[in-house]
Amino acid sequence: MAEELPPWDRLVCLLTKALELFYNGVTHMVMSMTGFGRSVKQTPTCTIQVEIKTVNHRFREYHIKMPQQLSHAEITLRNQLSKHFSRGRVELNVRLTGNISSRRELHIDWDLLDSYYHFIKEAKGRYQFSGEAMLSDILGLDEAVQVGETGDVDDDLITLLLSAADEAAGQVLKMRKTEGSSLSNELESYINLLEDLVRKTKDLAPLVQETYTERLRSKLKDMMQENIDEIRLMSEAAIFADKADISEELTRLTSHILQFREALLSSGQIGRKMDFIIQEMNREINTIGSKANDSNIAIMAVEMKVLIEKMREQVQNIE
């Protein structure tokens, strides 16, 4: 397993990547899961309208409503949509109006015709009827020979449907990119605030032991009314310092912040990764709040948790 880079080296790599994206004209990589698009296509005889709405979802989920005549194209339509959307709930609604020409086909119940034919032959022998059973007699049996609609439509209309779906999906993606940019900027502001709180907490951490030592010294002086046992004092202070040490949690929290920034500059499905990082951040902040045993650090921890919840809410909308 490759050794993880120190935080400073990772920060340098992150800044380098950001500069590369900037010079290549890439402004943001975050994609929202919320969007809407509509496309209308017409032929001389009919009009087809496709509307696509996407919202956040843990996985990719399709909800497609379309006329019965187009239902056989649903699998093809799903495969085409999969090229555009990798995560989220995709709701697609198709409206078809006008004069839609459908194919007609002949439906024959051969078992019924066989029974009918054998009945005619048997009746002729039993009752000595003359004449032969004519083809027109058999074809005139409505229950056995029927002409109906197949429900299918011409392939040109299916092509028009797929074209409209592509156009609507393009509008959805445009909206998702725009909202993704806003989400990215908002998350960037939150992560900056969180980083500032972590920096302040790091500055406060060494003072916790000093404050505890002085408080303990004062209590011992009041109790003993004589010279304080400095060895015992230092021993108690050392035990407290070990229990209240939050340096590891702060280091891991700093690392998670860097990982979150890296995710903001990544492409693809980054929403789940961000959600996992936020969970780890929350875990470290909870530990910091419980271990520090300091009111000022406890306040910092509460402020950090508020930011984490705001970030979590926004990350739920990221693909």
Side-chain angles (χ1 to χ4, degrees), residues 1-5 259:
M1 184 175 178
E3 185 178 353
E4 186 176 353
L5 292 173
Q259 291 172 357

Side-chain angles (χ1 to χ4, degrees), residues 114-273:
D114 288 343
S115 298
Y116 186 57
Y117 178 73
H118 290 305
F119 164 74
I120 291 175
K121 291 185 66 176
E122 185 178 346
K124 179 183 176 183
R126 177 174 294 189
Y127 301 109
Q128 290 79 44
F129 288 152
S130 61
E132 296 291 335
M134 303 297 292
L135 180 61
S136 58
D137 297 329
I138 298 176
L139 294 180
L141 189 62
D142 293 338
E143 292 82 359
V145 181
Q146 295 180 347
V147 178
E149 303 283 346
T150 64
D152 295 340
V153 295
D154 295 334
D155 292 338
D156 289 343
L157 192 58
I158 301 301
T159 302
L160 202 64
L161 166 66
L162 297 177
S163 175
D166 256 342
E167 187 173 295
Q171 295 177 11
V172 174
L173 291 175
K174 185 177 180 181
M175 184 177 292
R176 285 166 67 129
K177 287 179 181 178
T178 301
E179 185 170 339
S181 179
S182 299
L183 288 173
S184 180
N185 293 334
E186 190 167 355
L187 287 170
E188 183 69 31
S189 66
Y190 289 151
I191 205 70
N192 287 338
L193 291 172
L194 180 62
E195 201 168 35
D196 187 55
L197 288 172
V198 171
R199 200 159 36 239
K200 290 178 180 179
T201 304
K202 285 182 179 179
D203 293 338
L204 288 173
L207 302 178
V208 175
Q209 183 180 357
E210 296 177 11
T211 303
Y212 175 80
T213 303
E214 289 303 319
R215 189 164 61 243
L216 184 61
R217 186 190 301 275
S218 177
K219 286 184 178 181
L220 288 174
K221 186 176 180 180
D222 293 339
M223 291 172 57
M224 301 178 68
Q225 298 294 328
E226 57 186 28
N227 293 332
I228 299 173
D229 186 347
E230 289 292 335
I231 295 178
R232 180 184 174 188
L233 177 64
M234 290 300 103
S235 176
E236 291 290 338
I239 293 172
F240 171 81
D242 183 61
K243 291 182 178 180
D245 183 23
I246 57 174
S247 58
E248 290 186 9
E249 286 77 12
L250 288 171
T251 298
R252 285 194 292 268
L253 186 53
T254 301
S255 177
H256 294 328
I257 289 174
L258 285 172
Q259 291 172 357
F260 195 86
R261 289 190 184 280
E262 288 170 358
L264 276 175
L265 294 175
S266 302
S267 57
Q269 300 181 44
I270 60 175
R272 292 182 192 173
K273 180 179 180 180

